[in-house]
């Protein structure tokens, strides 16, 4: 994405929506992974223990569908 703060907020919203709880109720790490050479784009790295494949896919879909997040890998 282009705005790190907005992306961090988007991740928290997606996790809260997908996990049906407040973002702080489940431990996760969210750090800056890389910034593009021109400084226009930033990537974040999310580390979160998922319970199963279904939960992982739901989180992935939620993140991929958020307008602040450009790509989910």
């Amino acid at each position: 994405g282009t705005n790190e703060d907005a992306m961090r907020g988007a991740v928290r919203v997606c996790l809260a929506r997908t996990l049906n709880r407040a973002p702080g109720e489940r431990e996760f790490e969210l750090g800056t992974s890389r910034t593009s050479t021109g400084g226009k784009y930033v990537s974040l790295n999310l580390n979160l223990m998922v319970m199963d494949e279904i939960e992982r896919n739901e989180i992935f879909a939620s993140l991929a569908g958020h307008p602040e997040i450009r790509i989910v890998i």
Side-chain angles (χ1 to χ4, degrees), residues 42-65:
V42 63
S43 61
L44 300 178
N45 187 40
L46 172 65
N47 290 315
L48 169 72
M49 180 72 73
V50 296
M51 299 303 168
D52 54 31
E53 185 77 10
I54 293 169
E55 184 176 76
R56 185 187 70 80
N57 289 336
E58 288 172 350
I59 293 168
F60 187 94
S62 181
L63 292 169

Side-chain angles (χ1 to χ4, degrees), residues 4-62:
E4 183 174 350
D5 290 335
M7 285 176 45
R8 286 179 180 278
V11 169
R12 291 180 189 284
V13 166
C14 290
L15 290 179
R17 184 181 325 138
T18 306
L19 302 175
N20 294 319
R21 56 182 70 161
E25 291 182 26
R26 183 116 160 237
E27 285 189 38
F28 66 91
E29 294 177 13
L30 182 61
T32 305
S33 176
R34 203 179 148 203
T35 303
S36 65
T37 306
K40 185 174 180 180
Y41 296 101
V42 63
S43 61
L44 300 178
N45 187 40
L46 172 65
N47 290 315
L48 169 72
M49 180 72 73
V50 296
M51 299 303 168
D52 54 31
E53 185 77 10
I54 293 169
E55 184 176 76
R56 185 187 70 80
N57 289 336
E58 288 172 350
I59 293 168
F60 187 94
S62 181

